[in-house]
PDB file of all heavy atoms in Angstrom:
ATOM      1  N   PRO A   1      13.434   7.786  -3.714  1.00 95.00           N
ATOM      2  CA  PRO A   1      13.850   7.428  -2.355  1.00 95.00           C
ATOM      3  C   PRO A   1      15.347   7.648  -2.156  1.00 95.00           C
ATOM      4  O   PRO A   1      16.163   7.210  -2.970  1.00 95.00           O
ATOM      5  CB  PRO A   1      13.492   5.940  -2.247  1.00 95.00           C
ATOM      6  CG  PRO A   1      12.506   5.694  -3.327  1.00 95.00           C
ATOM      7  CD  PRO A   1      12.849   6.636  -4.431  1.00 95.00           C
ATOM      8  N   VAL A   2      15.701   8.334  -1.088  1.00 95.00           N
ATOM      9  CA  VAL A   2      17.100   8.577  -0.714  1.00 95.00           C
ATOM     10  C   VAL A   2      17.193   8.421   0.802  1.00 95.00           C
ATOM     11  O   VAL A   2      16.173   8.431   1.505  1.00 95.00           O
ATOM     12  CB  VAL A   2      17.569   9.992  -1.144  1.00 95.00           C
ATOM     13  CG1 VAL A   2      17.576  10.119  -2.664  1.00 95.00           C
ATOM     14  CG2 VAL A   2      16.685  11.068  -0.518  1.00 95.00           C
ATOM     15  N   PRO A   3      18.387   8.251   1.334  1.00 94.00           N
ATOM     16  CA  PRO A   3      18.519   8.156   2.791  1.00 94.00           C
ATOM     17  C   PRO A   3      17.882   9.361   3.481  1.00 94.00           C
ATOM     18  O   PRO A   3      18.115  10.500   3.110  1.00 94.00           O
ATOM     19  CB  PRO A   3      20.042   8.133   2.998  1.00 94.00           C
ATOM     20  CG  PRO A   3      20.576   7.534   1.740  1.00 94.00           C
ATOM     21  CD  PRO A   3      19.687   8.038   0.642  1.00 94.00           C
ATOM     22  N   GLY A   4      17.068   9.075   4.469  1.00 91.00           N
ATOM     23  CA  GLY A   4      16.327  10.125   5.155  1.00 91.00           C
ATOM     24  C   GLY A   4      14.956  10.369   4.552  1.00 91.00           C
ATOM     25  O   GLY A   4      14.092  10.972   5.180  1.00 91.00           O
ATOM     26  N   ARG A   5      14.755   9.909   3.322  1.00 95.00           N
ATOM     27  CA  ARG A   5      13.462  10.004   2.642  1.00 95.00           C
ATOM     28  C   ARG A   5      13.172   8.667   1.952  1.00 95.00           C
ATOM     29  O   ARG A   5      12.866   8.599   0.778  1.00 95.00           O
ATOM     30  CB  ARG A   5      13.458  11.160   1.635  1.00 95.00           C
ATOM     31  CG  ARG A   5      13.678  12.514   2.286  1.00 95.00           C
ATOM     32  CD  ARG A   5      13.431  13.653   1.311  1.00 95.00           C
ATOM     33  NE  ARG A   5      13.406  14.939   1.992  1.00 95.00           N
ATOM     34  CZ  ARG A   5      12.984  16.081   1.460  1.00 95.00           C
ATOM     35  NH1 ARG A   5      12.547  16.084   0.205  1.00 95.00           N
ATOM     36  NH2 ARG A   5      12.990  17.208   2.149  1.00 95.00           N
ATOM     37  N   GLU A   6      13.269   7.629   2.726  1.00 96.00           N
ATOM     38  CA  GLU A   6      13.218   6.268   2.191  1.00 96.00           C
ATOM     39  C   GLU A   6      11.859   5.877   1.625  1.00 96.00           C
ATOM     40  O   GLU A   6      11.766   4.962   0.808  1.00 96.00           O
ATOM     41  CB  GLU A   6      13.584   5.257   3.287  1.00 96.00           C
ATOM     42  CG  GLU A   6      15.010   5.362   3.807  1.00 96.00           C
ATOM     43  CD  GLU A   6      15.134   6.362   4.957  1.00 96.00           C
ATOM     44  OE1 GLU A   6      14.132   7.063   5.226  1.00 96.00           O
ATOM     45  OE2 GLU A   6      16.213   6.434   5.576  1.00 96.00           O
ATOM     46  N   TYR A   7      10.796   6.541   2.047  1.00 97.00           N
ATOM     47  CA  TYR A   7       9.461   6.079   1.689  1.00 97.00           C
ATOM     48  C   TYR A   7       8.846   6.868   0.537  1.00 97.00           C
ATOM     49  O   TYR A   7       7.667   6.681   0.216  1.00 97.00           O
ATOM     50  CB  TYR A   7       8.552   6.136   2.916  1.00 97.00           C
ATOM     51  CG  TYR A   7       9.183   5.503   4.136  1.00 97.00           C
ATOM     52  CD1 TYR A   7       9.503   6.253   5.266  1.00 97.00           C
ATOM     53  CD2 TYR A   7       9.509   4.149   4.134  1.00 97.00           C
ATOM     54  CE1 TYR A   7      10.117   5.669   6.366  1.00 97.00           C
ATOM     55  CE2 TYR A   7      10.121   3.559   5.221  1.00 97.00           C
ATOM     56  CZ  TYR A   7      10.428   4.329   6.336  1.00 97.00           C
ATOM     57  OH  TYR A   7      11.044   3.742   7.420  1.00 97.00           O
ATOM     58  N   ALA A   8       9.616   7.713  -0.104  1.00 97.00           N
ATOM     59  CA  ALA A   8       9.100   8.466  -1.251  1.00 97.00           C
ATOM     60  C   ALA A   8       8.815   7.518  -2.410  1.00 97.00           C
ATOM     61  O   ALA A   8       9.481   6.501  -2.592  1.00 97.00           O
ATOM     62  CB  ALA A   8      10.113   9.527  -1.675  1.00 97.00           C
ATOM     63  N   GLY A   9       7.790   7.865  -3.225  1.00 96.00           N
ATOM     64  CA  GLY A   9       7.480   7.065  -4.406  1.00 96.00           C
ATOM     65  C   GLY A   9       6.019   6.668  -4.472  1.00 96.00           C
ATOM     66  O   GLY A   9       5.170   7.182  -3.742  1.00 96.00           O
ATOM     67  N   LEU A  10       5.725   5.720  -5.368  1.00 96.00           N
ATOM     68  CA  LEU A  10       4.357   5.264  -5.596  1.00 96.00           C
ATOM     69  C   LEU A  10       4.080   4.005  -4.786  1.00 96.00           C
ATOM     70  O   LEU A  10       4.850   3.043  -4.842  1.00 96.00           O
ATOM     71  CB  LEU A  10       4.150   4.990  -7.087  1.00 96.00           C
ATOM     72  CG  LEU A  10       2.742   4.597  -7.516  1.00 96.00           C
ATOM     73  CD1 LEU A  10       1.772   5.755  -7.326  1.00 96.00           C
ATOM     74  CD2 LEU A  10       2.733   4.139  -8.979  1.00 96.00           C
ATOM     75  N   TRP A  11       2.962   4.015  -4.075  1.00 97.00           N
ATOM     76  CA  TRP A  11       2.563   2.887  -3.228  1.00 97.00           C
ATOM     77  C   TRP A  11       1.114   2.504  -3.548  1.00 97.00           C
ATOM     78  O   TRP A  11       0.317   3.329  -3.979  1.00 97.00           O
ATOM     79  CB  TRP A  11       2.675   3.246  -1.749  1.00 97.00           C
ATOM     80  CG  TRP A  11       4.071   3.515  -1.274  1.00 97.00           C
ATOM     81  CD1 TRP A  11       4.874   4.570  -1.611  1.00 97.00           C
ATOM     82  CD2 TRP A  11       4.831   2.720  -0.366  1.00 97.00           C
ATOM     83  NE1 TRP A  11       6.090   4.484  -0.976  1.00 97.00           N
ATOM     84  CE2 TRP A  11       6.092   3.351  -0.201  1.00 97.00           C
ATOM     85  CE3 TRP A  11       4.582   1.542   0.331  1.00 97.00           C
ATOM     86  CZ2 TRP A  11       7.084   2.839   0.627  1.00 97.00           C
ATOM     87  CZ3 TRP A  11       5.573   1.020   1.169  1.00 97.00           C
ATOM     88  CH2 TRP A  11       6.813   1.672   1.310  1.00 97.00           C
ATOM     89  N   GLY A  12       0.799   1.239  -3.302  1.00 94.00           N
ATOM     90  CA  GLY A  12      -0.570   0.757  -3.415  1.00 94.00           C
ATOM     91  C   GLY A  12      -1.095   0.406  -2.037  1.00 94.00           C
ATOM     92  O   GLY A  12      -0.347  -0.109  -1.195  1.00 94.00           O
ATOM     93  N   GLY A  13      -2.372   0.670  -1.792  1.00 93.00           N
ATOM     94  CA  GLY A  13      -2.913   0.440  -0.461  1.00 93.00           C
ATOM     95  C   GLY A  13      -4.316  -0.118  -0.471  1.00 93.00           C
ATOM     96  O   GLY A  13      -5.075   0.060  -1.428  1.00 93.00           O
ATOM     97  N   THR A  14      -4.651  -0.825   0.609  1.00 93.00           N
ATOM     98  CA  THR A  14      -6.011  -1.310   0.838  1.00 93.00           C
ATOM     99  C   THR A  14      -6.385  -1.020   2.283  1.00 93.00           C
ATOM    100  O   THR A  14      -5.528  -0.948   3.165  1.00 93.00           O
ATOM    101  CB  THR A  14      -6.122  -2.827   0.592  1.00 93.00           C
ATOM    102  OG1 THR A  14      -5.207  -3.522   1.457  1.00 93.00           O
ATOM    103  CG2 THR A  14      -5.812  -3.171  -0.858  1.00 93.00           C
ATOM    104  N   PHE A  15      -7.691  -0.871   2.508  1.00 93.00           N
ATOM    105  CA  PHE A  15      -8.179  -0.670   3.869  1.00 93.00           C
ATOM    106  C   PHE A  15      -8.493  -2.024   4.502  1.00 93.00           C
ATOM    107  O   PHE A  15      -8.897  -2.973   3.822  1.00 93.00           O
ATOM    108  CB  PHE A  15      -9.435   0.198   3.863  1.00 93.00           C
ATOM    109  CG  PHE A  15      -9.147   1.670   3.789  1.00 93.00           C
ATOM    110  CD1 PHE A  15      -9.074   2.307   2.561  1.00 93.00           C
ATOM    111  CD2 PHE A  15      -8.931   2.416   4.939  1.00 93.00           C
ATOM    112  CE1 PHE A  15      -8.814   3.654   2.476  1.00 93.00           C
ATOM    113  CE2 PHE A  15      -8.664   3.765   4.869  1.00 93.00           C
ATOM    114  CZ  PHE A  15      -8.597   4.395   3.629  1.00 93.00           C
ATOM    115  N   GLY A  16      -8.309  -2.079   5.824  1.00 91.00           N
ATOM    116  CA  GLY A  16      -8.637  -3.278   6.582  1.00 91.00           C
ATOM    117  C   GLY A  16      -7.408  -4.063   6.979  1.00 91.00           C
ATOM    118  O   GLY A  16      -6.329  -3.928   6.399  1.00 91.00           O
ATOM    119  N   TRP A  17      -7.571  -4.886   8.014  1.00 91.00           N
ATOM    120  CA  TRP A  17      -6.502  -5.755   8.505  1.00 91.00           C
ATOM    121  C   TRP A  17      -7.061  -7.167   8.658  1.00 91.00           C
ATOM    122  O   TRP A  17      -8.175  -7.328   9.160  1.00 91.00           O
ATOM    123  CB  TRP A  17      -5.954  -5.243   9.839  1.00 91.00           C
ATOM    124  CG  TRP A  17      -4.713  -5.976  10.255  1.00 91.00           C
ATOM    125  CD1 TRP A  17      -4.642  -7.059  11.078  1.00 91.00           C
ATOM    126  CD2 TRP A  17      -3.386  -5.689   9.844  1.00 91.00           C
ATOM    127  NE1 TRP A  17      -3.353  -7.473  11.214  1.00 91.00           N
ATOM    128  CE2 TRP A  17      -2.544  -6.643  10.462  1.00 91.00           C
ATOM    129  CE3 TRP A  17      -2.804  -4.757   9.002  1.00 91.00           C
ATOM    130  CZ2 TRP A  17      -1.175  -6.665  10.272  1.00 91.00           C
ATOM    131  CZ3 TRP A  17      -1.441  -4.763   8.826  1.00 91.00           C
ATOM    132  CH2 TRP A  17      -0.633  -5.713   9.455  1.00 91.00           C
ATOM    133  N   PRO A  18      -6.330  -8.181   8.243  1.00 87.00           N
ATOM    134  CA  PRO A  18      -4.989  -8.154   7.663  1.00 87.00           C
ATOM    135  C   PRO A  18      -4.996  -7.530   6.271  1.00 87.00           C
ATOM    136  O   PRO A  18      -6.053  -7.437   5.639  1.00 87.00           O
ATOM    137  CB  PRO A  18      -4.592  -9.624   7.612  1.00 87.00           C
ATOM    138  CG  PRO A  18      -5.891 -10.343   7.514  1.00 87.00           C
ATOM    139  CD  PRO A  18      -6.854  -9.559   8.338  1.00 87.00           C
ATOM    140  N   PRO A  19      -3.824  -7.089   5.792  1.00 84.00           N
ATOM    141  CA  PRO A  19      -3.766  -6.419   4.487  1.00 84.00           C
ATOM    142  C   PRO A  19      -4.211  -7.346   3.370  1.00 84.00           C
ATOM    143  O   PRO A  19      -4.045  -8.564   3.438  1.00 84.00           O
ATOM    144  CB  PRO A  19      -2.278  -6.040   4.348  1.00 84.00           C
ATOM    145  CG  PRO A  19      -1.557  -6.948   5.285  1.00 84.00           C
ATOM    146  CD  PRO A  19      -2.495  -7.184   6.426  1.00 84.00           C
ATOM    147  N   GLY A  20      -4.790  -6.738   2.323  1.00 75.00           N
ATOM    148  CA  GLY A  20      -5.258  -7.519   1.194  1.00 75.00           C
ATOM    149  C   GLY A  20      -4.106  -8.128   0.410  1.00 75.00           C
ATOM    150  O   GLY A  20      -3.032  -7.536   0.295  1.00 75.00           O
ATOM    151  N   ARG A  21      -4.342  -9.321  -0.112  1.00 74.00           N
ATOM    152  CA  ARG A  21      -3.339 -10.004  -0.934  1.00 74.00           C
ATOM    153  C   ARG A  21      -4.006 -10.437  -2.242  1.00 74.00           C
ATOM    154  O   ARG A  21      -5.107 -10.970  -2.227  1.00 74.00           O
ATOM    155  CB  ARG A  21      -2.774 -11.220  -0.197  1.00 74.00           C
ATOM    156  CG  ARG A  21      -2.088 -10.858   1.120  1.00 74.00           C
ATOM    157  CD  ARG A  21      -1.472 -12.082   1.775  1.00 74.00           C
ATOM    158  NE  ARG A  21      -0.878 -11.742   3.063  1.00 74.00           N
ATOM    159  CZ  ARG A  21       0.328 -11.213   3.217  1.00 74.00           C
ATOM    160  NH1 ARG A  21       1.066 -10.975   2.138  1.00 74.00           N
ATOM    161  NH2 ARG A  21       0.802 -10.917   4.404  1.00 74.00           N
ATOM    162  N   PRO A  22      -3.324 -10.219  -3.372  1.00 71.00           N
ATOM    163  CA  PRO A  22      -3.946 -10.551  -4.663  1.00 71.00           C
ATOM    164  C   PRO A  22      -4.362 -12.005  -4.785  1.00 71.00           C
ATOM    165  O   PRO A  22      -5.322 -12.312  -5.478  1.00 71.00           O
ATOM    166  CB  PRO A  22      -2.838 -10.208  -5.674  1.00 71.00           C
ATOM    167  CG  PRO A  22      -1.945  -9.249  -4.966  1.00 71.00           C
ATOM    168  CD  PRO A  22      -1.994  -9.639  -3.519  1.00 71.00           C
ATOM    169  N   GLU A  23      -3.659 -12.903  -4.107  1.00 67.00           N
ATOM    170  CA  GLU A  23      -3.949 -14.333  -4.275  1.00 67.00           C
ATOM    171  C   GLU A  23      -5.075 -14.819  -3.365  1.00 67.00           C
ATOM    172  O   GLU A  23      -5.458 -15.986  -3.429  1.00 67.00           O
ATOM    173  CB  GLU A  23      -2.689 -15.164  -4.007  1.00 67.00           C
ATOM    174  CG  GLU A  23      -2.143 -15.030  -2.584  1.00 67.00           C
ATOM    175  CD  GLU A  23      -1.175 -13.870  -2.433  1.00 67.00           C
ATOM    176  OE1 GLU A  23      -1.131 -13.025  -3.342  1.00 67.00           O
ATOM    177  OE2 GLU A  23      -0.473 -13.816  -1.406  1.00 67.00           O
ATOM    178  N   ASP A  24      -5.615 -13.951  -2.506  1.00 65.00           N
ATOM    179  CA  ASP A  24      -6.667 -14.368  -1.584  1.00 65.00           C
ATOM    180  C   ASP A  24      -8.019 -14.407  -2.300  1.00 65.00           C
ATOM    181  O   ASP A  24      -8.820 -13.481  -2.245  1.00 65.00           O
ATOM    182  CB  ASP A  24      -6.750 -13.408  -0.385  1.00 65.00           C
ATOM    183  CG  ASP A  24      -5.557 -13.552   0.541  1.00 65.00           C
ATOM    184  OD1 ASP A  24      -4.872 -14.578   0.440  1.00 65.00           O
ATOM    185  OD2 ASP A  24      -5.312 -12.643   1.344  1.00 65.00           O
ATOM    186  N   GLU A  25      -8.294 -15.501  -3.018  1.00 58.00           N
ATOM    187  CA  GLU A  25      -9.533 -15.624  -3.774  1.00 58.00           C
ATOM    188  C   GLU A  25     -10.734 -15.901  -2.870  1.00 58.00           C
ATOM    189  O   GLU A  25     -11.868 -15.613  -3.223  1.00 58.00           O
ATOM    190  CB  GLU A  25      -9.405 -16.744  -4.817  1.00 58.00           C
ATOM    191  CG  GLU A  25      -8.351 -16.490  -5.874  1.00 58.00           C
ATOM    192  CD  GLU A  25      -8.718 -15.361  -6.815  1.00 58.00           C
ATOM    193  OE1 GLU A  25      -9.913 -14.992  -6.847  1.00 58.00           O
ATOM    194  OE2 GLU A  25      -7.820 -14.839  -7.503  1.00 58.00           O
ATOM    195  N   CYS A  26     -10.481 -16.458  -1.687  1.00 53.00           N
ATOM    196  CA  CYS A  26     -11.595 -16.847  -0.821  1.00 53.00           C
ATOM    197  C   CYS A  26     -12.136 -15.675  -0.017  1.00 53.00           C
ATOM    198  O   CYS A  26     -13.225 -15.747   0.527  1.00 53.00           O
ATOM    199  CB  CYS A  26     -11.158 -17.968   0.121  1.00 53.00           C
ATOM    200  SG  CYS A  26      -9.747 -17.527   1.166  1.00 53.00           S
ATOM    201  N   ARG A  27     -11.380 -14.595   0.060  1.00 63.00           N
ATOM    202  CA  ARG A  27     -11.825 -13.445   0.843  1.00 63.00           C
ATOM    203  C   ARG A  27     -12.432 -12.388  -0.075  1.00 63.00           C
ATOM    204  O   ARG A  27     -12.104 -12.322  -1.252  1.00 63.00           O
ATOM    205  CB  ARG A  27     -10.649 -12.842   1.615  1.00 63.00           C
ATOM    206  CG  ARG A  27     -10.042 -13.791   2.637  1.00 63.00           C
ATOM    207  CD  ARG A  27      -8.916 -13.105   3.383  1.00 63.00           C
ATOM    208  NE  ARG A  27      -8.304 -13.988   4.367  1.00 63.00           N
ATOM    209  CZ  ARG A  27      -7.285 -13.630   5.148  1.00 63.00           C
ATOM    210  NH1 ARG A  27      -6.753 -12.430   5.022  1.00 63.00           N
ATOM    211  NH2 ARG A  27      -6.803 -14.486   6.030  1.00 63.00           N
ATOM    212  N   PRO A  28     -13.305 -11.550   0.471  1.00 66.00           N
ATOM    213  CA  PRO A  28     -13.843 -10.445  -0.338  1.00 66.00           C
ATOM    214  C   PRO A  28     -12.713  -9.534  -0.806  1.00 66.00           C
ATOM    215  O   PRO A  28     -11.813  -9.198  -0.043  1.00 66.00           O
ATOM    216  CB  PRO A  28     -14.782  -9.729   0.642  1.00 66.00           C
ATOM    217  CG  PRO A  28     -15.109 -10.734   1.690  1.00 66.00           C
ATOM    218  CD  PRO A  28     -13.895 -11.602   1.812  1.00 66.00           C
ATOM    219  N   ARG A  29     -12.783  -9.155  -2.071  1.00 77.00           N
ATOM    220  CA  ARG A  29     -11.761  -8.282  -2.637  1.00 77.00           C
ATOM    221  C   ARG A  29     -11.822  -6.895  -1.994  1.00 77.00           C
ATOM    222  O   ARG A  29     -12.890  -6.404  -1.642  1.00 77.00           O
ATOM    223  CB  ARG A  29     -11.940  -8.168  -4.146  1.00 77.00           C
ATOM    224  CG  ARG A  29     -11.694  -9.477  -4.884  1.00 77.00           C
ATOM    225  CD  ARG A  29     -10.199  -9.724  -5.025  1.00 77.00           C
ATOM    226  NE  ARG A  29      -9.929 -10.926  -5.796  1.00 77.00           N
ATOM    227  CZ  ARG A  29      -9.871 -10.954  -7.122  1.00 77.00           C
ATOM    228  NH1 ARG A  29     -10.100  -9.863  -7.815  1.00 77.00           N
ATOM    229  NH2 ARG A  29      -9.610 -12.078  -7.749  1.00 77.00           N
ATOM    230  N   LYS A  30     -10.667  -6.250  -1.912  1.00 88.00           N
ATOM    231  CA  LYS A  30     -10.592  -4.918  -1.327  1.00 88.00           C
ATOM    232  C   LYS A  30     -10.237  -3.895  -2.402  1.00 88.00           C
ATOM    233  O   LYS A  30      -9.487  -4.190  -3.320  1.00 88.00           O
ATOM    234  CB  LYS A  30      -9.534  -4.890  -0.216  1.00 88.00           C
ATOM    235  CG  LYS A  30      -9.858  -5.799   0.955  1.00 88.00           C
ATOM    236  CD  LYS A  30      -8.815  -5.686   2.047  1.00 88.00           C
ATOM    237  CE  LYS A  30      -9.185  -6.565   3.243  1.00 88.00           C
ATOM    238  NZ  LYS A  30      -8.196  -6.460   4.342  1.00 88.00           N
ATOM    239  N   ALA A  31     -10.801  -2.703  -2.262  1.00 89.00           N
ATOM    240  CA  ALA A  31     -10.526  -1.651  -3.229  1.00 89.00           C
ATOM    241  C   ALA A  31      -9.057  -1.265  -3.166  1.00 89.00           C
ATOM    242  O   ALA A  31      -8.472  -1.130  -2.085  1.00 89.00           O
ATOM    243  CB  ALA A  31     -11.402  -0.435  -2.930  1.00 89.00           C
ATOM    244  N   LEU A  32      -8.466  -1.085  -4.344  1.00 91.00           N
ATOM    245  CA  LEU A  32      -7.049  -0.751  -4.446  1.00 91.00           C
ATOM    246  C   LEU A  32      -6.887   0.753  -4.618  1.00 91.00           C
ATOM    247  O   LEU A  32      -7.493   1.356  -5.502  1.00 91.00           O
ATOM    248  CB  LEU A  32      -6.425  -1.493  -5.627  1.00 91.00           C
ATOM    249  CG  LEU A  32      -4.957  -1.194  -5.921  1.00 91.00           C
ATOM    250  CD1 LEU A  32      -4.069  -1.641  -4.773  1.00 91.00           C
ATOM    251  CD2 LEU A  32      -4.525  -1.882  -7.220  1.00 91.00           C
ATOM    252  N   PHE A  33      -6.071   1.358  -3.771  1.00 93.00           N
ATOM    253  CA  PHE A  33      -5.748   2.776  -3.856  1.00 93.00           C
ATOM    254  C   PHE A  33      -4.293   2.933  -4.282  1.00 93.00           C
ATOM    255  O   PHE A  33      -3.434   2.168  -3.853  1.00 93.00           O
ATOM    256  CB  PHE A  33      -5.930   3.469  -2.496  1.00 93.00           C
ATOM    257  CG  PHE A  33      -7.366   3.635  -2.066  1.00 93.00           C
ATOM    258  CD1 PHE A  33      -8.122   2.554  -1.647  1.00 93.00           C
ATOM    259  CD2 PHE A  33      -7.958   4.887  -2.075  1.00 93.00           C
ATOM    260  CE1 PHE A  33      -9.432   2.701  -1.241  1.00 93.00           C
ATOM    261  CE2 PHE A  33      -9.270   5.054  -1.676  1.00 93.00           C
ATOM    262  CZ  PHE A  33     -10.013   3.959  -1.258  1.00 93.00           C
ATOM    263  N   PHE A  34      -4.025   3.921  -5.137  1.00 95.00           N
ATOM    264  CA  PHE A  34      -2.656   4.309  -5.453  1.00 95.00           C
ATOM    265  C   PHE A  34      -2.376   5.616  -4.737  1.00 95.00           C
ATOM    266  O   PHE A  34      -3.159   6.572  -4.837  1.00 95.00           O
ATOM    267  CB  PHE A  34      -2.471   4.509  -6.959  1.00 95.00           C
ATOM    268  CG  PHE A  34      -2.271   3.242  -7.731  1.00 95.00           C
ATOM    269  CD1 PHE A  34      -2.543   2.011  -7.169  1.00 95.00           C
ATOM    270  CD2 PHE A  34      -1.816   3.280  -9.038  1.00 95.00           C
ATOM    271  CE1 PHE A  34      -2.364   0.833  -7.888  1.00 95.00           C
ATOM    272  CE2 PHE A  34      -1.639   2.117  -9.771  1.00 95.00           C
ATOM    273  CZ  PHE A  34      -1.917   0.894  -9.190  1.00 95.00           C
ATOM    274  N   LEU A  35      -1.256   5.643  -4.027  1.00 96.00           N
ATOM    275  CA  LEU A  35      -0.876   6.846  -3.289  1.00 96.00           C
ATOM    276  C   LEU A  35       0.549   7.243  -3.638  1.00 96.00           C
ATOM    277  O   LEU A  35       1.427   6.386  -3.795  1.00 96.00           O
ATOM    278  CB  LEU A  35      -0.992   6.628  -1.776  1.00 96.00           C
ATOM    279  CG  LEU A  35      -2.415   6.439  -1.240  1.00 96.00           C
ATOM    280  CD1 LEU A  35      -2.751   4.967  -1.154  1.00 96.00           C
ATOM    281  CD2 LEU A  35      -2.574   7.094   0.124  1.00 96.00           C
ATOM    282  N   LEU A  36       0.757   8.532  -3.765  1.00 97.00           N
ATOM    283  CA  LEU A  36       2.074   9.092  -4.045  1.00 97.00           C
ATOM    284  C   LEU A  36       2.619   9.652  -2.734  1.00 97.00           C
ATOM    285  O   LEU A  36       2.060  10.596  -2.176  1.00 97.00           O
ATOM    286  CB  LEU A  36       1.961  10.194  -5.097  1.00 97.00           C
ATOM    287  CG  LEU A  36       3.255  10.662  -5.755  1.00 97.00           C
ATOM    288  CD1 LEU A  36       3.937   9.525  -6.498  1.00 97.00           C
ATOM    289  CD2 LEU A  36       2.966  11.818  -6.707  1.00 97.00           C
ATOM    290  N   LEU A  37       3.689   9.045  -2.242  1.00 98.00           N
ATOM    291  CA  LEU A  37       4.289   9.495  -0.978  1.00 98.00           C
ATOM    292  C   LEU A  37       5.427  10.463  -1.267  1.00 98.00           C
ATOM    293  O   LEU A  37       6.316  10.173  -2.075  1.00 98.00           O
ATOM    294  CB  LEU A  37       4.799   8.305  -0.161  1.00 98.00           C
ATOM    295  CG  LEU A  37       3.785   7.684   0.824  1.00 98.00           C
ATOM    296  CD1 LEU A  37       2.538   7.224   0.107  1.00 98.00           C
ATOM    297  CD2 LEU A  37       4.410   6.544   1.623  1.00 98.00           C
ATOM    298  N   SER A  38       5.388  11.607  -0.623  1.00 97.00           N
ATOM    299  CA  SER A  38       6.400  12.637  -0.839  1.00 97.00           C
ATOM    300  C   SER A  38       6.691  13.348   0.476  1.00 97.00           C
ATOM    301  O   SER A  38       5.894  13.305   1.424  1.00 97.00           O
ATOM    302  CB  SER A  38       5.936  13.643  -1.899  1.00 97.00           C
ATOM    303  OG  SER A  38       4.699  14.223  -1.529  1.00 97.00           O
ATOM    304  N   TYR A  39       7.839  13.980   0.499  1.00 97.00           N
ATOM    305  CA  TYR A  39       8.302  14.663   1.715  1.00 97.00           C
ATOM    306  C   TYR A  39       8.216  16.169   1.545  1.00 97.00           C
ATOM    307  O   TYR A  39       8.545  16.721   0.493  1.00 97.00           O
ATOM    308  CB  TYR A  39       9.745  14.276   2.031  1.00 97.00           C
ATOM    309  CG  TYR A  39       9.914  12.877   2.590  1.00 97.00           C
ATOM    310  CD1 TYR A  39       9.930  11.777   1.753  1.00 97.00           C
ATOM    311  CD2 TYR A  39      10.048  12.659   3.966  1.00 97.00           C
ATOM    312  CE1 TYR A  39      10.084  10.490   2.255  1.00 97.00           C
ATOM    313  CE2 TYR A  39      10.205  11.385   4.479  1.00 97.00           C
ATOM    314  CZ  TYR A  39      10.215  10.301   3.616  1.00 97.00           C
ATOM    315  OH  TYR A  39      10.378   9.026   4.127  1.00 97.00           O
ATOM    316  N   GLU A  40       7.769  16.824   2.614  1.00 95.00           N
ATOM    317  CA  GLU A  40       7.819  18.273   2.732  1.00 95.00           C
ATOM    318  C   GLU A  40       8.309  18.613   4.138  1.00 95.00           C
ATOM    319  O   GLU A  40       8.558  17.718   4.950  1.00 95.00           O
ATOM    320  CB  GLU A  40       6.446  18.900   2.474  1.00 95.00           C
ATOM    321  CG  GLU A  40       5.950  18.756   1.043  1.00 95.00           C
ATOM    322  CD  GLU A  40       4.637  19.475   0.800  1.00 95.00           C
ATOM    323  OE1 GLU A  40       4.183  20.206   1.730  1.00 95.00           O
ATOM    324  OE2 GLU A  40       4.061  19.322  -0.284  1.00 95.00           O
TER     325      GLU A  40
END
């Protein structure tokens, strides 16, 4: 990440709203995706 490309790097994601939280034991677990964000 550098100025102008602040979002580059490794991110984790889940589908659905509100976003999944690891501590939410009462809600159904959501599949975890790893995404590599890069600029072109």
Side-chain angles (χ1 to χ4, degrees):
V2 295
R5 298 190 170 193
E6 296 88 352
Y7 311 115
L10 184 67
W11 295 68
T14 58
F15 278 91
W17 189 266
R21 300 183 183 278
E23 62 272 14
D24 289 343
E25 297 291 343
C26 58
R27 297 182 180 179
R29 294 281 183 85
K30 297 183 178 181
L32 177 64
F33 289 72
F34 279 14
L35 293 94
L36 194 61
L37 270 58
S38 57
Y39 286 81
E40 293 184 7

